Amino acid sequence: MGKKIFSGVQPTGNLHLGNYLGAIKNFVKLNNEDQNQCVFCVVDLHAITVAQDPKKLKDNIYETVASFIASGIDPEKSIIFNQSKVSAHSETAWILSCVARMGWLNRMTQFKEKAGKDKEKASIGLYSYPVLMAADILLYDTTHVPVGDDQKQHLELCRDVAQKFNNDFNVDNFFKLPEPLIQKKFSRIMSLRDGTNKMSKSELSDLSRINLTDDKDQMINKIKKAKTDTLPLPPTSADLEKRPEAKNLMGIYSTLMDVDLDNTINKFSGKNFSEFKENLSQVLVDKIIPISSEIKKLLKDKNYLNQILDNGHQKADSIASKKLKKIQEIVGF
Ligand code: TYM
């Protein structure tokens, strides 16, 4: 039997190489396996947990859909839709927020990171973000969730919520407990400016990330400026442990090339960074520029993108509203 796949991406602009290598590349692989039911959601409800410019949010929704398609997701095979259009997500999130415990949410590291020092001023939505994520996943009887390493804790919370709901209402196996699908290696792509911080949309410096919409010169320039150390490239992977920037760049190269890190190490051992960076830029340009050109092309055809979203909305709504109805019956509404 095929897998039931669900994953989401926030339409907050600047989809980057971390999103692509950590998540979207895997979406494409799963989309291409026969028998899987894949649902990929543009999670705009999650996006507004921090302030968004409404006009930009709309543009970013299109850009996220275009990035999915340009990366190789087939809208005929996968359901692609916008979260806010399927009201079952918000409704289920409320019910699940009465099941999830404060103590569980208090442990979420992403909230602590995003709320920063002034957590009194963070939105309640940012705090309950993982509960909405659980609703997303559980509405589709999802068996597998492809995500980057940073979402692992949220998936554990989703499983806890599902289990507690099943126990509290005595409905064994009503919510399926989903498995995370996290890349074994390089599931966390790091910033090009600091190899100890993850590559992220919100980091101030654009030089810290390769955006999927960057052009060739921008990519080459960012790799040229990427932080490194002064040593030549090492002969073994153990030697990379204390060299986060070298490890990240070699990991990016390996993941883009679909080869093992050891393979990359053998190829570049003893060489200096300038030679390695030239090779890395070339691979990036070869693999990512076709995607970025396709994104730009697709963004000119809003009718086509709207058609994909409308179609996806209908299919998603039909699955989610049936599950919500059962949830409502179980809780006694
Ligand atoms: P978002 O938009 O922040 O991230 C989208 C995906 O990209 C992955 N990712 C990374 N992977 C590797 N290295 C990085 N530097 C990096 N940065 C981001 C994320 O892990 C994610 O897989 N909360 C989710 C959105 C969501 C969701 C869901 C996911 C909402 N509902 C239900 C799965 C299932 C998020 O982080 O989005």
Side-chain angles (χ1 to χ4, degrees), residues 90-118:
S90 313
E91 293 178 66
T92 306
W94 178 259
I95 296 173
L96 296 183
S97 74
C98 301
V99 175
R101 304 290 95 180
M102 295 276 287
W104 301 356
L105 287 170
N106 285 340
R107 288 199 284 276
M108 295 294 116
T109 52
Q110 184 172 294
F111 175 75
K112 288 181 199 159
E113 276 165 29
K114 286 201 176 169
K117 287 198 187 78
D118 208 355

PDB file of all heavy atoms in Angstrom, residues 90-118:
ATOM      1  N   SER A  90      -8.791  25.149  10.665  1.00  0.00           N
ATOM      2  CA  SER A  90      -8.943  26.022  11.849  1.00  0.00           C
ATOM      3  C   SER A  90      -9.876  25.380  12.870  1.00  0.00           C
ATOM      4  O   SER A  90      -9.636  25.446  14.070  1.00  0.00           O
ATOM      5  CB  SER A  90      -9.539  27.373  11.467  1.00  0.00           C
ATOM      6  OG  SER A  90      -8.898  27.888  10.362  1.00  0.00           O
ATOM      7  N   GLU A  91     -10.946  24.769  12.374  1.00  0.00           N
ATOM      8  CA  GLU A  91     -11.928  24.182  13.292  1.00  0.00           C
ATOM      9  C   GLU A  91     -11.324  23.020  14.083  1.00  0.00           C
ATOM     10  O   GLU A  91     -11.545  22.887  15.281  1.00  0.00           O
ATOM     11  CB  GLU A  91     -13.159  23.714  12.504  1.00  0.00           C
ATOM     12  CG  GLU A  91     -13.932  24.879  11.902  1.00  0.00           C
ATOM     13  CD  GLU A  91     -15.120  24.390  11.089  1.00  0.00           C
ATOM     14  OE1 GLU A  91     -16.050  23.819  11.679  1.00  0.00           O
ATOM     15  OE2 GLU A  91     -15.098  24.555   9.855  1.00  0.00           O
ATOM     16  N   THR A  92     -10.558  22.194  13.381  1.00  0.00           N
ATOM     17  CA  THR A  92      -9.926  21.050  14.059  1.00  0.00           C
ATOM     18  C   THR A  92      -8.856  21.535  15.033  1.00  0.00           C
ATOM     19  O   THR A  92      -8.698  20.984  16.131  1.00  0.00           O
ATOM     20  CB  THR A  92      -9.316  20.091  13.014  1.00  0.00           C
ATOM     21  OG1 THR A  92     -10.343  19.745  12.093  1.00  0.00           O
ATOM     22  CG2 THR A  92      -8.767  18.833  13.653  1.00  0.00           C
ATOM     23  N   ALA A  93      -8.135  22.586  14.620  1.00  0.00           N
ATOM     24  CA  ALA A  93      -7.088  23.115  15.506  1.00  0.00           C
ATOM     25  C   ALA A  93      -7.696  23.549  16.838  1.00  0.00           C
ATOM     26  O   ALA A  93      -7.118  23.337  17.902  1.00  0.00           O
ATOM     27  CB  ALA A  93      -6.377  24.274  14.831  1.00  0.00           C
ATOM     28  N   TRP A  94      -8.905  24.140  16.801  1.00  0.00           N
ATOM     29  CA  TRP A  94      -9.520  24.565  18.062  1.00  0.00           C
ATOM     30  C   TRP A  94      -9.823  23.355  18.955  1.00  0.00           C
ATOM     31  O   TRP A  94      -9.501  23.343  20.140  1.00  0.00           O
ATOM     32  CB  TRP A  94     -10.811  25.377  17.809  1.00  0.00           C
ATOM     33  CG  TRP A  94     -11.409  25.746  19.124  1.00  0.00           C
ATOM     34  CD1 TRP A  94     -12.452  25.147  19.757  1.00  0.00           C
ATOM     35  CD2 TRP A  94     -10.928  26.745  20.033  1.00  0.00           C
ATOM     36  NE1 TRP A  94     -12.667  25.711  20.987  1.00  0.00           N
ATOM     37  CE2 TRP A  94     -11.745  26.694  21.182  1.00  0.00           C
ATOM     38  CE3 TRP A  94      -9.869  27.673  19.976  1.00  0.00           C
ATOM     39  CZ2 TRP A  94     -11.547  27.548  22.273  1.00  0.00           C
ATOM     40  CZ3 TRP A  94      -9.677  28.521  21.060  1.00  0.00           C
ATOM     41  CH2 TRP A  94     -10.508  28.461  22.188  1.00  0.00           C
ATOM     42  N   ILE A  95     -10.404  22.347  18.334  1.00  0.00           N
ATOM     43  CA  ILE A  95     -10.748  21.149  19.127  1.00  0.00           C
ATOM     44  C   ILE A  95      -9.467  20.522  19.711  1.00  0.00           C
ATOM     45  O   ILE A  95      -9.412  20.179  20.889  1.00  0.00           O
ATOM     46  CB  ILE A  95     -11.537  20.133  18.259  1.00  0.00           C
ATOM     47  CG1 ILE A  95     -12.871  20.758  17.844  1.00  0.00           C
ATOM     48  CG2 ILE A  95     -11.753  18.809  19.004  1.00  0.00           C
ATOM     49  CD1 ILE A  95     -13.686  19.947  16.844  1.00  0.00           C
ATOM     50  N   LEU A  96      -8.428  20.441  18.882  1.00  0.00           N
ATOM     51  CA  LEU A  96      -7.185  19.828  19.365  1.00  0.00           C
ATOM     52  C   LEU A  96      -6.486  20.696  20.412  1.00  0.00           C
ATOM     53  O   LEU A  96      -5.752  20.184  21.260  1.00  0.00           O
ATOM     54  CB  LEU A  96      -6.239  19.536  18.197  1.00  0.00           C
ATOM     55  CG  LEU A  96      -6.743  18.503  17.176  1.00  0.00           C
ATOM     56  CD1 LEU A  96      -5.691  18.241  16.107  1.00  0.00           C
ATOM     57  CD2 LEU A  96      -7.132  17.178  17.854  1.00  0.00           C
ATOM     58  N   SER A  97      -6.755  21.997  20.375  1.00  0.00           N
ATOM     59  CA  SER A  97      -6.129  22.858  21.388  1.00  0.00           C
ATOM     60  C   SER A  97      -6.759  22.622  22.758  1.00  0.00           C
ATOM     61  O   SER A  97      -6.210  22.991  23.786  1.00  0.00           O
ATOM     62  CB  SER A  97      -6.194  24.335  20.989  1.00  0.00           C
ATOM     63  OG  SER A  97      -7.498  24.821  21.154  1.00  0.00           O
ATOM     64  N   CYS A  98      -7.924  21.972  22.761  1.00  0.00           N
ATOM     65  CA  CYS A  98      -8.540  21.584  24.034  1.00  0.00           C
ATOM     66  C   CYS A  98      -8.047  20.206  24.486  1.00  0.00           C
ATOM     67  O   CYS A  98      -8.357  19.769  25.599  1.00  0.00           O
ATOM     68  CB  CYS A  98     -10.067  21.603  23.904  1.00  0.00           C
ATOM     69  SG  CYS A  98     -10.669  23.233  23.438  1.00  0.00           S
ATOM     70  N   VAL A  99      -7.282  19.545  23.635  1.00  0.00           N
ATOM     71  CA  VAL A  99      -6.710  18.238  23.973  1.00  0.00           C
ATOM     72  C   VAL A  99      -5.234  18.408  24.370  1.00  0.00           C
ATOM     73  O   VAL A  99      -4.761  17.828  25.347  1.00  0.00           O
ATOM     74  CB  VAL A  99      -6.820  17.272  22.758  1.00  0.00           C
ATOM     75  CG1 VAL A  99      -6.118  15.948  23.031  1.00  0.00           C
ATOM     76  CG2 VAL A  99      -8.288  17.041  22.398  1.00  0.00           C
ATOM     77  N   ALA A 100      -4.508  19.249  23.607  1.00  0.00           N
ATOM     78  CA  ALA A 100      -3.078  19.474  23.888  1.00  0.00           C
ATOM     79  C   ALA A 100      -2.923  20.154  25.251  1.00  0.00           C
ATOM     80  O   ALA A 100      -3.826  20.874  25.693  1.00  0.00           O
ATOM     81  CB  ALA A 100      -2.473  20.346  22.794  1.00  0.00           C
ATOM     82  N   ARG A 101      -1.823  19.915  25.907  1.00  0.00           N
ATOM     83  CA  ARG A 101      -1.572  20.466  27.249  1.00  0.00           C
ATOM     84  C   ARG A 101      -0.570  21.615  27.192  1.00  0.00           C
ATOM     85  O   ARG A 101       0.372  21.578  26.401  1.00  0.00           O
ATOM     86  CB  ARG A 101      -1.032  19.365  28.182  1.00  0.00           C
ATOM     87  CG  ARG A 101      -1.918  18.127  28.320  1.00  0.00           C
ATOM     88  CD  ARG A 101      -3.186  18.376  29.086  1.00  0.00           C
ATOM     89  NE  ARG A 101      -4.315  18.672  28.228  1.00  0.00           N
ATOM     90  CZ  ARG A 101      -5.556  18.929  28.663  1.00  0.00           C
ATOM     91  NH1 ARG A 101      -5.822  18.946  29.946  1.00  0.00           N
ATOM     92  NH2 ARG A 101      -6.534  19.194  27.824  1.00  0.00           N
ATOM     93  N   MET A 102      -0.781  22.619  28.029  1.00  0.00           N
ATOM     94  CA  MET A 102       0.154  23.754  28.112  1.00  0.00           C
ATOM     95  C   MET A 102       1.592  23.275  28.316  1.00  0.00           C
ATOM     96  O   MET A 102       2.521  23.796  27.709  1.00  0.00           O
ATOM     97  CB  MET A 102      -0.209  24.657  29.304  1.00  0.00           C
ATOM     98  CG  MET A 102      -1.529  25.354  29.204  1.00  0.00           C
ATOM     99  SD  MET A 102      -1.401  26.866  28.254  1.00  0.00           S
ATOM    100  CE  MET A 102      -0.542  27.905  29.439  1.00  0.00           C
ATOM    101  N   GLY A 103       1.727  22.280  29.203  1.00  0.00           N
ATOM    102  CA  GLY A 103       3.076  21.779  29.515  1.00  0.00           C
ATOM    103  C   GLY A 103       3.794  21.269  28.271  1.00  0.00           C
ATOM    104  O   GLY A 103       5.002  21.464  28.120  1.00  0.00           O
ATOM    105  N   TRP A 104       3.027  20.663  27.364  1.00  0.00           N
ATOM    106  CA  TRP A 104       3.658  20.150  26.128  1.00  0.00           C
ATOM    107  C   TRP A 104       4.145  21.323  25.269  1.00  0.00           C
ATOM    108  O   TRP A 104       5.247  21.301  24.752  1.00  0.00           O
ATOM    109  CB  TRP A 104       2.655  19.341  25.287  1.00  0.00           C
ATOM    110  CG  TRP A 104       2.056  18.150  25.968  1.00  0.00           C
ATOM    111  CD1 TRP A 104       2.365  17.670  27.213  1.00  0.00           C
ATOM    112  CD2 TRP A 104       1.035  17.291  25.445  1.00  0.00           C
ATOM    113  NE1 TRP A 104       1.603  16.571  27.477  1.00  0.00           N
ATOM    114  CE2 TRP A 104       0.778  16.302  26.424  1.00  0.00           C
ATOM    115  CE3 TRP A 104       0.319  17.257  24.250  1.00  0.00           C
ATOM    116  CZ2 TRP A 104      -0.179  15.305  26.241  1.00  0.00           C
ATOM    117  CZ3 TRP A 104      -0.617  16.257  24.066  1.00  0.00           C
ATOM    118  CH2 TRP A 104      -0.866  15.289  25.055  1.00  0.00           C
ATOM    119  N   LEU A 105       3.277  22.321  25.126  1.00  0.00           N
ATOM    120  CA  LEU A 105       3.638  23.453  24.262  1.00  0.00           C
ATOM    121  C   LEU A 105       4.778  24.272  24.867  1.00  0.00           C
ATOM    122  O   LEU A 105       5.598  24.836  24.149  1.00  0.00           O
ATOM    123  CB  LEU A 105       2.424  24.343  24.004  1.00  0.00           C
ATOM    124  CG  LEU A 105       1.406  23.714  23.047  1.00  0.00           C
ATOM    125  CD1 LEU A 105       0.128  24.520  23.013  1.00  0.00           C
ATOM    126  CD2 LEU A 105       1.961  23.603  21.647  1.00  0.00           C
ATOM    127  N   ASN A 106       4.815  24.309  26.193  1.00  0.00           N
ATOM    128  CA  ASN A 106       5.891  25.066  26.853  1.00  0.00           C
ATOM    129  C   ASN A 106       7.270  24.520  26.532  1.00  0.00           C
ATOM    130  O   ASN A 106       8.270  25.207  26.710  1.00  0.00           O
ATOM    131  CB  ASN A 106       5.700  25.045  28.376  1.00  0.00           C
ATOM    132  CG  ASN A 106       4.573  25.976  28.800  1.00  0.00           C
ATOM    133  OD1 ASN A 106       4.193  26.876  28.056  1.00  0.00           O
ATOM    134  ND2 ASN A 106       4.029  25.746  29.990  1.00  0.00           N
ATOM    135  N   ARG A 107       7.311  23.265  26.076  1.00  0.00           N
ATOM    136  CA  ARG A 107       8.631  22.679  25.773  1.00  0.00           C
ATOM    137  C   ARG A 107       9.091  22.933  24.339  1.00  0.00           C
ATOM    138  O   ARG A 107      10.199  22.581  23.974  1.00  0.00           O
ATOM    139  CB  ARG A 107       8.565  21.159  26.007  1.00  0.00           C
ATOM    140  CG  ARG A 107       8.500  20.782  27.481  1.00  0.00           C
ATOM    141  CD  ARG A 107       8.903  19.343  27.695  1.00  0.00           C
ATOM    142  NE  ARG A 107       7.852  18.418  27.313  1.00  0.00           N
ATOM    143  CZ  ARG A 107       6.839  18.062  28.107  1.00  0.00           C
ATOM    144  NH1 ARG A 107       6.754  18.554  29.325  1.00  0.00           N
ATOM    145  NH2 ARG A 107       5.923  17.223  27.700  1.00  0.00           N
ATOM    146  N   MET A 108       8.244  23.542  23.525  1.00  0.00           N
ATOM    147  CA  MET A 108       8.579  23.677  22.091  1.00  0.00           C
ATOM    148  C   MET A 108       9.719  24.670  21.875  1.00  0.00           C
ATOM    149  O   MET A 108       9.588  25.856  22.190  1.00  0.00           O
ATOM    150  CB  MET A 108       7.350  24.137  21.287  1.00  0.00           C
ATOM    151  CG  MET A 108       6.210  23.138  21.269  1.00  0.00           C
ATOM    152  SD  MET A 108       6.653  21.627  20.386  1.00  0.00           S
ATOM    153  CE  MET A 108       6.559  20.442  21.703  1.00  0.00           C
ATOM    154  N   THR A 109      10.814  24.175  21.315  1.00  0.00           N
ATOM    155  CA  THR A 109      11.982  25.053  21.166  1.00  0.00           C
ATOM    156  C   THR A 109      11.770  26.100  20.069  1.00  0.00           C
ATOM    157  O   THR A 109      12.297  27.192  20.156  1.00  0.00           O
ATOM    158  CB  THR A 109      13.263  24.250  20.846  1.00  0.00           C
ATOM    159  OG1 THR A 109      12.966  23.417  19.728  1.00  0.00           O
ATOM    160  CG2 THR A 109      13.688  23.394  22.002  1.00  0.00           C
ATOM    161  N   GLN A 110      10.960  25.769  19.049  1.00  0.00           N
ATOM    162  CA  GLN A 110      10.783  26.768  17.987  1.00  0.00           C
ATOM    163  C   GLN A 110      10.078  28.019  18.508  1.00  0.00           C
ATOM    164  O   GLN A 110      10.413  29.131  18.137  1.00  0.00           O
ATOM    165  CB  GLN A 110      10.001  26.197  16.802  1.00  0.00           C
ATOM    166  CG  GLN A 110       9.914  27.210  15.668  1.00  0.00           C
ATOM    167  CD  GLN A 110       9.329  26.641  14.390  1.00  0.00           C
ATOM    168  OE1 GLN A 110       9.894  25.775  13.737  1.00  0.00           O
ATOM    169  NE2 GLN A 110       8.171  27.134  14.030  1.00  0.00           N
ATOM    170  N   PHE A 111       9.104  27.815  19.408  1.00  0.00           N
ATOM    171  CA  PHE A 111       8.438  28.984  19.990  1.00  0.00           C
ATOM    172  C   PHE A 111       9.444  29.825  20.762  1.00  0.00           C
ATOM    173  O   PHE A 111       9.497  31.045  20.618  1.00  0.00           O
ATOM    174  CB  PHE A 111       7.277  28.570  20.906  1.00  0.00           C
ATOM    175  CG  PHE A 111       6.661  29.747  21.619  1.00  0.00           C
ATOM    176  CD1 PHE A 111       5.824  30.622  20.930  1.00  0.00           C
ATOM    177  CD2 PHE A 111       6.948  30.003  22.960  1.00  0.00           C
ATOM    178  CE1 PHE A 111       5.284  31.736  21.567  1.00  0.00           C
ATOM    179  CE2 PHE A 111       6.413  31.123  23.600  1.00  0.00           C
ATOM    180  CZ  PHE A 111       5.570  31.982  22.902  1.00  0.00           C
ATOM    181  N   LYS A 112      10.268  29.148  21.549  1.00  0.00           N
ATOM    182  CA  LYS A 112      11.256  29.889  22.360  1.00  0.00           C
ATOM    183  C   LYS A 112      12.181  30.700  21.449  1.00  0.00           C
ATOM    184  O   LYS A 112      12.481  31.853  21.705  1.00  0.00           O
ATOM    185  CB  LYS A 112      12.075  28.923  23.215  1.00  0.00           C
ATOM    186  CG  LYS A 112      11.250  28.334  24.361  1.00  0.00           C
ATOM    187  CD  LYS A 112      12.088  27.394  25.209  1.00  0.00           C
ATOM    188  CE  LYS A 112      11.185  26.488  26.025  1.00  0.00           C
ATOM    189  NZ  LYS A 112      11.829  25.278  26.471  1.00  0.00           N
ATOM    190  N   GLU A 113      12.608  30.063  20.342  1.00  0.00           N
ATOM    191  CA  GLU A 113      13.516  30.765  19.425  1.00  0.00           C
ATOM    192  C   GLU A 113      12.820  31.938  18.751  1.00  0.00           C
ATOM    193  O   GLU A 113      13.353  33.037  18.675  1.00  0.00           O
ATOM    194  CB  GLU A 113      13.989  29.808  18.328  1.00  0.00           C
ATOM    195  CG  GLU A 113      15.170  28.947  18.720  1.00  0.00           C
ATOM    196  CD  GLU A 113      15.357  27.785  17.753  1.00  0.00           C
ATOM    197  OE1 GLU A 113      14.990  27.916  16.553  1.00  0.00           O
ATOM    198  OE2 GLU A 113      15.834  26.741  18.211  1.00  0.00           O
ATOM    199  N   LYS A 114      11.591  31.679  18.262  1.00  0.00           N
ATOM    200  CA  LYS A 114      10.914  32.733  17.486  1.00  0.00           C
ATOM    201  C   LYS A 114      10.398  33.855  18.375  1.00  0.00           C
ATOM    202  O   LYS A 114      10.375  35.012  17.962  1.00  0.00           O
ATOM    203  CB  LYS A 114       9.764  32.141  16.674  1.00  0.00           C
ATOM    204  CG  LYS A 114      10.233  31.346  15.467  1.00  0.00           C
ATOM    205  CD  LYS A 114       9.134  31.219  14.443  1.00  0.00           C
ATOM    206  CE  LYS A 114       9.633  30.503  13.203  1.00  0.00           C
ATOM    207  NZ  LYS A 114       8.558  30.118  12.295  1.00  0.00           N
ATOM    208  N   ALA A 115       9.969  33.512  19.579  1.00  0.00           N
ATOM    209  CA  ALA A 115       9.436  34.543  20.468  1.00  0.00           C
ATOM    210  C   ALA A 115      10.575  35.380  21.045  1.00  0.00           C
ATOM    211  O   ALA A 115      10.396  36.554  21.373  1.00  0.00           O
ATOM    212  CB  ALA A 115       8.626  33.900  21.583  1.00  0.00           C
ATOM    213  N   GLY A 116      11.756  34.781  21.135  1.00  0.00           N
ATOM    214  CA  GLY A 116      12.917  35.512  21.630  1.00  0.00           C
ATOM    215  C   GLY A 116      12.759  35.898  23.090  1.00  0.00           C
ATOM    216  O   GLY A 116      12.069  35.222  23.856  1.00  0.00           O
ATOM    217  N   LYS A 117      13.368  37.032  23.435  1.00  0.00           N
ATOM    218  CA  LYS A 117      13.392  37.432  24.847  1.00  0.00           C
ATOM    219  C   LYS A 117      12.025  37.894  25.322  1.00  0.00           C
ATOM    220  O   LYS A 117      11.653  37.723  26.471  1.00  0.00           O
ATOM    221  CB  LYS A 117      14.407  38.559  25.042  1.00  0.00           C
ATOM    222  CG  LYS A 117      15.831  38.055  24.954  1.00  0.00           C
ATOM    223  CD  LYS A 117      16.811  39.054  25.580  1.00  0.00           C
ATOM    224  CE  LYS A 117      18.239  38.623  25.322  1.00  0.00           C
ATOM    225  NZ  LYS A 117      18.689  38.953  23.942  1.00  0.00           N
ATOM    226  N   ASP A 118      11.250  38.490  24.399  1.00  0.00           N
ATOM    227  CA  ASP A 118      10.004  39.122  24.830  1.00  0.00           C
ATOM    228  C   ASP A 118       8.808  38.229  24.538  1.00  0.00           C
ATOM    229  O   ASP A 118       7.972  38.535  23.689  1.00  0.00           O
ATOM    230  CB  ASP A 118       9.853  40.468  24.113  1.00  0.00           C
ATOM    231  CG  ASP A 118       9.030  41.414  24.959  1.00  0.00           C
ATOM    232  OD1 ASP A 118       8.523  40.965  26.013  1.00  0.00           O
ATOM    233  OD2 ASP A 118       8.896  42.587  24.566  1.00  0.00           O
TER     234      ASP A 118
END
